[in-house]
């Protein structure tokens, strides 16, 4: 069969020449115009979360383009949208909430699931909101199933008991599994919570039975997986708790789970639900994302976490169609986001060189791909800085790579450069449109995002090479990337700054406190500044969990040496101006990390600024504070490292 030629029917917004010079920073820092798009099961409708004039809205349209719903998505932070059935939409959001003095953390990021029925008789409401004995928050989503002709959603929830004075309080805080009849929003318990000091996860089969349960002892790391009859399917011990239920196998007769072995290698296994010997699954195949059937929970395919980014589905006919679809987008980073049964219609998100992010609805039968959303309509074509992969070697010979973004219209020669290490640290940057990198490129800077040791998608050996290397080899991996750009004549070594968020913020601070003579300025957003303080907070917030302590000691190394790699402890050695930016509602890296660093810099007489983002979390989820961060960052970098 020949290659299927898809007609790319482009909107005027997509093709219009963007002539505004320069593009406002707000166009980069704003939230995307499209956050998420999902298809109804029958493929006749789509639901999207769209940023319309600064307001997040849920927009549902049918295949004729008629708008069925156009309503505010609320004041909380919207994370995604999906369909429960052809007339019920689920919107996932989060909110930062303050907790009482009896909790180990002062703030927590709560997740909520809003039920939106296309039937006008039902008003939108949160899952569990009709039951006073369950908190209005969801802890995990375990699928949608059709049971006796009704749509049932499976969610983790937190049971409540009346407290002193009649107020409701958490019964114990451990997750209980509930089946919720949608859209009536009536829950019933289908699996009890784990016992004290344990964690549980579940898989729910096509008929609504809790078919598999994973139980982990958080004290000693012992774990077991059992089927519905209580028969043990697998067991082991992992002091870090690195074991997970994944999904059902492609024929629904097996369960797939992952472990991390004694060599710190992630391995997947498949075992029959009826019992038997586990066999390794997808050995040596790096997986970035799984594609799981919406109605059954069985595995349909996966996307590879390597340079190819190949999408693989197990059904041969569907694989043929998917392959043809992706060939219609050569040279761009295309990702499968949603699909109907049999992949007759799919939603793709595409970005890369010349493309700041476009969503397409692909009708396979009619050989047609229609753009249904531009994420950043002001940034397109020639205004997108060229993006490429750069391979290089660390000073100890380890093979590394990074993503280079170049300023549009400028020769790639002797440019001012921004080093932009990613967070995590177990994450990675790939060749694609990055709003932060592109903002710097638009102002004349080359931007390099190094995938230092600890980065994912490049094998377990590279990921595990970060253990105990914070501020050490992980740090020199970043400056080795700069050296490679200098060697190639791309970057001017005298005009380099380092900018980052979360772990990247730590690396930025370490670049001028633990390293010297490399960078002209630093911007650290939500950084870890004091490693010992960070470690203590993680352990305390976990309730002194042995598993959490073991995990972070493996990651960070011997606690006796935390001061050696803490930028705060070396503030007096800082050799460049530092801008600290931190959200007050950060529940991952506490705001205190930046204020403590600021105090130490002040005491040492070092130049610094501290920008506080009110009501902002760790992920810069709010448009106004994200734009505030970008404006402050750019002004600081341009002052201390002008591009011209």
């Amino acid at each position: 069969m020949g290659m299927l030629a898809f007609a790319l029917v482009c909107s005027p917004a997509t093709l219009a020449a963007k002539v505004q010079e320069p593009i406002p920073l707000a166009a980069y820092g704003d939230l995307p115009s499209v956050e998420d798009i999902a298809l109804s099961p029958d493929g006749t409708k789509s639901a999207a979360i769209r940023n319309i004039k600064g307001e997040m809205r849920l927009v549902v349209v049918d295949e004729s383009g008629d708008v069925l719903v156009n309503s505010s998505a609320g004041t909380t932070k919207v994370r995604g949208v999906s369909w429960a059935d052809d007339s019920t939409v689920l919107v996932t959001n989060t909110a930062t909430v303050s907790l009482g003095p009896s909790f180990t953390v002062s703030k927590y990021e709560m997740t909520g699931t809003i039920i939106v029925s296309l039937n006008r008789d039902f008003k939108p409401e949160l899952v569990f909101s009709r039951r006073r004995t369950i908190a209005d928050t969801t802890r995990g989503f375990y699928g949608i199933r059709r049971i006796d002709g009704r749509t049932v959603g499976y969610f983790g929830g937190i049971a409540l008991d009346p407290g002193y004075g009649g107020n409701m309080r958490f019964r114990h805080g451990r997750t209980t599994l509930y089946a919720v009849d949608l859209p009536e929003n009536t829950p019933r318990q289908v699996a009890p919570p784990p016992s004290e000091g344990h964690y549980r996860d579940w898989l729910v089969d096509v008929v609504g039975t809790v078919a598999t349960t994973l139980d982990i002892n958080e004290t000693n790391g012992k774990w077991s997986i059992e089927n519905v009859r209580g028969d043990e399917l697998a067991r082991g011990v992992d002091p870090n708790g690195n074991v997970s239920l994944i999904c059902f196998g492609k024929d629904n007769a097996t369960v797939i789970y992952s472990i991390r072995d004694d060599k710190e290698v992630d391995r997947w296994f498949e075992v029959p639900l009826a019992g038997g010997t586990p066999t390794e699954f997808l050995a040596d195949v790096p997986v970035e994302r799984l594609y799981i059937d919406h109605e059954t929970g069985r595995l349909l395919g996966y996307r590879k976490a390597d340079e190819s980014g190949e999408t693989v589905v197990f059904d041969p006919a569907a694989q043929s169609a998917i392959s043809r679809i992706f060939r219609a987008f050569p040279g761009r980073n295309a990702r499968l986001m949603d699909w109907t049964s049999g992949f007759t219609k799919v939603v793709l998100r595409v970005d890369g060189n010349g493309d700041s992010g476009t969503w397409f609805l692909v009708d396979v039968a009619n050989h047609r791909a229609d753009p249904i959303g531009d994420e950043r309509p002001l940034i397109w074509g020639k205004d997108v800085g060229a993006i490429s992969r750069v391979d290089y070697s660390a000073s100890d010979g380890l093979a590394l790579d990074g993503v280079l973004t170049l300023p549009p219209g400028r020769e790639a020669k002797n440019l001012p450069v921004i080093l932009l290490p990613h967070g995590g640290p177990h994450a990675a940057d790939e060749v694609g449109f990055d709003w932060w990198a592109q903002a710097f490129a638009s102002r004349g800077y080359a931007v390099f995002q190094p995938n230092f040791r600890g980065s994912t998608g490049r094998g377990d050996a590279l990921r595990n090479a970060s253990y105990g290397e914070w501020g050490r080899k992980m740090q020199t991996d970043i400056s080795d990337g700069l050296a490679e750009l200098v060697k190639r004549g791309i970057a001017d070594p005298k005009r380099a700054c380092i900018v980052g968020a979360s772990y990247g913020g730590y690396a930025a601070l370490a670049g001028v406190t633990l390293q010297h003579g490399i960078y002209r300025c630093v911007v650290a957003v939500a950084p870890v500044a004091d490693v010992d303080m960070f470690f203590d907070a993680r352990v305390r917030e976990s309730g002194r969990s042995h598993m959490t302590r073991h995990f972070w000691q493996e990651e960070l190394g011997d606690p006796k040496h935390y001061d050696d790699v803490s930028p705060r402890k070396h503030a007096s050695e800082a050799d460049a101006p530092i801008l600290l930016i931190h959200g007050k509602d950060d529940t991952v890296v506490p705001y205190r990390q930046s204020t403590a660093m600021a105090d130490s810099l002040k005491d040492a007489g070092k130049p610094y600024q501290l920008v506080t983002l009110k009501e902002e979390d760790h992920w810069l989820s709010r448009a106004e504070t994200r734009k505030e961060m970008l404006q402050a960052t750019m002004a600081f970098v341009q002052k201390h490292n002008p591009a011209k």
Side-chain angles (χ1 to χ4, degrees):
M1 181 181 293
M3 175 179 171
L4 179 61
F6 282 89
L8 302 183
V9 183
C10 296
S11 65
T14 302
L15 294 177
K18 309 299 188 293
V19 297
Q20 187 174 358
E21 295 289 349
I23 294 173
L25 277 182
Y28 297 91
D30 200 0
L31 296 176
S33 297
V34 179
E35 285 283 353
D36 195 15
I37 299 178
L39 287 174
S40 61
D42 64 6
T44 64
K45 296 176 284 293
S46 67
I49 301 297
R50 296 182 182 271
N51 179 1
I52 300 175
K53 296 182 179 179
E55 180 184 34
M56 303 307 295
R57 300 188 67 84
L58 170 66
V59 180
V60 180
V61 299
D62 64 19
E63 56 190 347
S64 300
D66 294 332
V67 178
L68 306 179
V69 175
N70 183 354
S71 64
S72 172
T75 58
T76 53
K77 294 164 281 192
V78 182
R79 303 302 186 187
V81 63
S82 61
W83 289 82
D85 56 35
D86 291 323
S87 61
T88 309
V89 176
L90 300 178
V91 177
T92 303
N93 64 6
T94 67
T96 308
V97 299
S98 296
L99 302 176
S102 60
F103 291 86
T104 57
V105 294
S106 61
K107 294 181 178 180
Y108 190 80
E109 196 76 10
M110 292 286 195
T111 298
T113 304
I114 303 171
I115 306 167
V116 181
S117 175
L118 301 190
N119 184 336
R120 302 297 182 182
D121 295 335
F122 293 93
K123 294 182 179 180
E125 59 185 33
L126 284 165
V127 167
F128 301 135
S129 62
R130 295 190 185 184
R131 187 67 61 85
R132 289 192 68 244
T133 54
I134 308 174
D136 293 346
T137 181
T138 48
R139 275 193 173 179
F141 174 56
Y142 296 88
I144 298 291
R145 303 290 181 261
R146 291 288 291 178
I147 310 297
D148 297 328
R150 301 188 67 82
T151 303
V152 180
Y154 292 81
F155 302 91
I158 304 174
L160 299 176
D161 276 336
Y164 179 76
N167 295 321
M168 303 303 289
R169 63 183 181 185
F170 288 177
R171 184 176 299 172
H172 44 63
R174 300 186 295 279
T175 303
T176 300
L177 182 61
Y178 297 93
V180 181
D181 194 316
L182 302 172
E184 284 78 6
N185 198 12
T186 54
R188 60 182 175 85
Q189 180 178 315
V190 293
S195 57
E196 182 75 28
H198 284 243
Y199 164 82
R200 276 190 178 173
D201 197 10
W202 303 273
L203 291 178
V204 178
D205 67 17
V206 68
V207 296
T209 301
V210 179
T212 311
T213 301
L214 165 68
D215 186 275
I216 303 175
N217 186 320
E218 294 183 303
T219 299
N220 55 29
K222 290 183 178 179
W223 60 268
S224 65
I225 298 174
E226 296 182 351
N227 64 16
V228 66
R229 297 188 302 272
D231 300 330
E232 188 175 82
L233 303 179
R235 65 177 176 176
V237 179
D238 189 313
N240 290 340
N242 288 315
V243 54
S244 301
L245 287 178
I246 304 298
C247 61
F248 295 110
K250 57 186 178 181
D251 59 1
N252 263 337
T254 61
V255 61
I256 299 169
Y257 64 95
S258 70
I259 65 168
R260 187 167 294 176
D261 66 19
D262 54 7
K263 295 181 180 179
E264 294 295 319
V265 174
D266 285 333
R267 301 171 68 188
W268 290 20
F269 289 88
E270 186 172 22
V271 61
L273 281 166
T277 302
T279 56
E280 193 154 8
F281 182 75
L282 293 181
D284 302 320
V285 177
V287 175
E288 177 190 289
R289 178 182 172 176
L290 297 177
Y291 301 110
I292 298 171
D293 189 273
H294 303 311
E295 298 177 355
T296 65
R298 69 185 180 92
L299 183 63
L300 300 176
Y302 56 90
R303 176 185 167 98
K304 291 183 178 179
D306 58 19
E307 191 175 357
S308 73
E310 181 184 3
T311 295
V312 177
V313 294
F314 301 126
D315 178 78
Q319 179 65 70
S320 177
I322 290 293
S323 297
R324 293 195 299 274
I325 291 169
F326 277 80
R327 285 199 293 270
F329 298 92
R332 284 189 279 176
N333 179 24
R335 294 173 182 271
L336 177 64
M337 305 303 292
D338 201 15
W339 60 91
T340 59
S341 179
F343 297 94
T344 56
K345 290 184 178 180
V346 303
V347 172
L348 295 184
R349 181 190 177 277
V350 180
D351 74 340
N353 282 299
D355 191 332
S356 58
T358 310
W359 292 69
F360 286 89
L361 174 59
V362 181
D363 185 332
V364 177
N366 293 312
H367 301 183
R368 184 182 177 96
D370 292 289
I372 54 176
D374 292 335
E375 289 188 4
R376 301 184 186 276
L378 291 180
I379 309 167
W380 202 262
K382 65 179 179 59
D383 293 318
V384 177
I387 315 158
S388 62
R389 171 177 164 138
V390 173
D391 294 309
Y392 69 102
S393 296
S395 52
D396 64 358
L398 186 65
L400 300 171
D401 70 85
V403 179
L404 175 65
T405 301
L406 293 171
R410 292 191 62 176
E411 183 182 4
K413 183 177 181 181
N414 208 34
L415 294 169
V417 62
I418 305 297
L419 274 292
L420 188 62
H422 60 70
H426 300 303
D429 285 310
E430 307 297 343
V431 175
F433 184 94
D434 181 288
W435 64 271
W436 208 358
Q438 290 288 337
F440 280 119
S442 74
R443 267 53 183 174
Y445 298 93
V447 183
F448 189 62
Q449 298 168 275
N451 288 313
F452 44 82
R453 67 194 71 204
S455 298
T456 54
R458 287 145 180 81
D460 295 299
L462 183 69
R463 182 203 65 202
N464 299 337
S466 68
Y467 292 160
E469 294 295 341
W470 282 46
R472 298 183 176 93
K473 290 184 179 180
M474 292 171 75
Q475 195 65 36
T476 56
D477 287 350
I478 297 168
S479 50
D480 287 340
L482 172 60
E484 177 67 23
L485 298 187
V486 172
K487 177 182 174 183
R488 297 187 183 198
I490 297 171
D492 180 349
K494 296 180 180 180
R495 293 194 293 164
C497 285
I498 184 167
V499 177
S502 193
Y503 175 83
Y506 164 84
L509 292 177
V512 298
T513 56
L514 307 183
Q515 294 180 296
H516 300 99
I518 303 174
Y519 306 108
R520 294 181 65 167
C521 66
V522 171
V523 180
V525 180
V528 174
D530 187 313
V531 176
D532 190 52
M533 183 193 301
F534 177 75
F535 173 78
D536 286 346
R538 302 305 281 187
V539 173
R540 183 182 67 255
E541 291 168 2
S542 72
R544 306 290 175 184
S545 164
H546 294 282
M547 190 172 291
T548 299
R549 180 181 294 275
H550 189 278
F551 170 85
W552 282 107
Q553 283 188 354
E554 182 177 62
E555 175 68 35
L556 298 171
D558 189 340
K560 292 186 297 185
H561 299 299
Y562 289 171
D563 283 359
D564 296 342
V565 293
S566 291
R568 180 191 176 198
K569 300 297 183 179
H570 297 266
S572 63
E573 301 168 42
D575 66 349
I578 294 173
L579 173 61
L580 299 161
I581 304 178
H582 215 128
K584 284 294 291 290
D585 286 349
D586 196 326
T587 58
V588 179
V589 178
Y591 175 67
R592 171 64 181 152
Q593 286 279 335
S594 282
T595 59
M597 185 69 194
D599 289 343
S600 295
L601 290 167
K602 181 179 179 180
D603 291 344
K606 296 295 182 177
Y608 78 95
Q609 293 176 235
L610 172 61
V611 174
T612 300
L613 303 177
K614 297 179 180 179
E615 299 182 350
E616 185 54 277
D617 59 21
H618 189 69
W619 305 279
L620 298 173
S621 299
R622 298 190 182 279
E624 291 309 310
T625 40
R626 181 184 287 199
K627 288 185 281 189
E628 180 185 351
M629 181 282 296
L630 187 57
Q631 290 283 359
T633 295
M634 193 64 69
F636 189 83
V637 168
Q638 289 177 325
K639 175 182 177 180
H640 296 286
N641 188 26
K644 296 181 180 179

